[in-house]
Each structure stands twice: as structure tokens, then as C-alpha cells.
Amino acid sequence: NAGVTQTPKFQVLKTGQSMTLQCAQDMNHNSMYWYRQDPGMGLRLIYYSASEGTTDKGEVPNGYNVSRLNKREFSLRLESAAPSQTSVYFCASPHPGTGPFRETQYFGPGTRLLVL
Amino acid sequence: SQKIEQNSEALNIQEGKTATLTCNYTNYSPAYLQWYRQDPGRGPVFLLLIRENEKEKRKERLKVTFDTTLKQSLFHITASQPADSATYLCALVGAGNNRKLIWGLGTSLAVNP
């Protein structure tokens, strides 16, 4: 039971290049989230998927697209990378259910992206 | 606007002492407050959750308090160990349909042997 996994761990892109960050969870959770973490800005939500087949914008969606491929997988795509997208990207999956732990997040190990 | 503030200065303490980290918030009425630990190069890991109507929550050497009047949560690590060195994040969850999670920037803790 690996929880949340992400690939790649590290990537260097040139401005204008595209790439897809992959995320998978084996916890059978319905929801999956993509965050970026930057110094001085904290964790910011990019996109989330409340269930298979649905996606919604978060706080900072511009420049990104997502695909909820199936219940396990949620990918984040940068169509034309910009230096401002240099960041650490985390995929997370909230605890299922309706109680207070509903928003407890299980995070993946992160992808460190450098855009030159 | 909604805002969360955590100690921006790193906290350095001696092994065995109690570490106390602060999370203050403004313009928000959270239903729950969560604390996470983040090690360098890793994703945050959930530690504790406290509800708005709870004053205190404990888990082993960890203790969290929540004062909705002061709009503040304190996170304590008693008998601290070098292995407790990490960044600690607080996050607020809104009430009712406002389940939006708001994150603090985190406080770096270093426990010196």
C-alpha cells in the first residue's frame, strides 16, 4: 500500500516546453488534489477532482490542465511551461467520508520542477 | 482577506525541552484546524486535528490547543528529540459548505542534541 505516488521526482524544462505530472493513489479515495508549494506562498491548490470524471479549478489554475483518468490517477499538464511555474508540485488525496477528517490530506512525495 | 500566520522565524530548542509553535488566523471561522509535519524533500504528513469546540487534543508527545476567541492554535511537542526537527504546517478547514482548506507557511523547528 504505497498511498500517493508521483512521477517524475524531478524535472527541468525550457520555457515553452510541455510536460505531464503523474499521480496515482491506491487508497480507493474519490477525491484527488494538485498543489504547488513555493517559498513565502505556502501550499496553493491548483486543481482538484471530487470524483472520477469531475475536475474543478482551485486557487491558481492558470497555465495548467488536469485529467482524472480513472479513480486512481490524476495528472497535471503544463502545456507551455513558464519560469513562474518553477515550484514543487504535490498531489494529495483527502480522507474519504463526511466526518471532521474529511479534509485530512494524504500527500505524495512531490515533483520538483525547474523551468529555465 | 483570510490569513494564517505562523512563526516565520525558525525555532531552535534543546533536546528534552518543550517546543511551542503558534498558528494565528484572521477573517475566518474554521470548523477544524489541522497540523502537519513536513520533512525536507517530502510531502506534508498529517499529525493532529482539533475541532472548534475542543480546547485541547493530545497524541503521545504532541498537544494542540485551539482558542477561537484569540483565533489561535498552539502546537506543543514535549520532551523534544532531534528527530522532531522538521517544518510544521497548520491548516484551517471552513465550516458548513465552506470546506476550503487554508494553509499556513509553516514554522521550521530544529531540536539540538
Side-chain angles (χ1 to χ4, degrees), chain A residues 22-78:
Chain A
Q22 306 286 354
C23 173
Q25 53 95 6
D26 62 4
M27 300 176 287
N28 201 34
H29 288 180
N30 289 319
S31 298
M32 297 181 75
Y33 292 11
W34 275 106
Y35 289 94
R36 60 178 290 175
Q37 187 176 39
D38 303 286
M41 301 294 291
L43 282 160
R44 291 181 292 171
L45 184 64
I46 305 172
Y47 269 94
Y48 66 99
S49 170
S51 61
E52 185 179 352
T54 68
T55 61
D56 286 287
K57 294 179 180 179
E59 185 183 353
V60 288
N62 291 345
Y64 306 95
N65 285 302
V66 290
S67 295
R68 184 71 184 270
L69 304 170
N70 47 56
K71 192 171 186 179
R72 289 189 65 249
E73 298 171 293
F74 188 37
S75 63
L76 178 72
R77 182 159 179 85
L78 287 70

Side-chain angles (χ1 to χ4, degrees), chain B residues 6-85:
Chain B
Q6 295 187 250
N7 315 54
S8 57
E9 300 268 331
L11 183 62
N12 282 272
I13 64 168
Q14 207 62 30
E15 182 176 6
K17 300 293 185 183
T18 295
T20 298
L21 286 67
T22 305
C23 178
N24 295 302
Y25 60 93
T26 56
N27 298 323
Y28 203 63
S29 297
Y32 316 109
L33 189 146
Q34 303 179 3
W35 283 90
Y36 290 76
R37 169 184 173 141
Q38 186 172 21
D39 292 286
R42 294 178 174 260
V45 174
F46 171 75
L47 296 174
L48 278 171
L49 175 150
I50 187 165
R51 296 174 173 83
E52 62 173 340
N53 60 355
E54 295 178 318
K55 295 294 184 186
E56 182 179 298
K57 187 68 78 71
R58 292 176 184 262
K59 179 182 177 182
E60 297 172 351
R61 293 184 297 111
L62 308 180
K63 184 178 85 172
V64 172
T65 63
F66 194 11
D67 189 326
T68 54
T69 300
L70 292 178
K71 294 186 182 297
Q72 181 182 78
S73 175
L74 299 178
F75 178 80
H76 306 272
I77 305 175
T78 58
S80 60
Q81 304 166 1
D84 295 326
S85 300

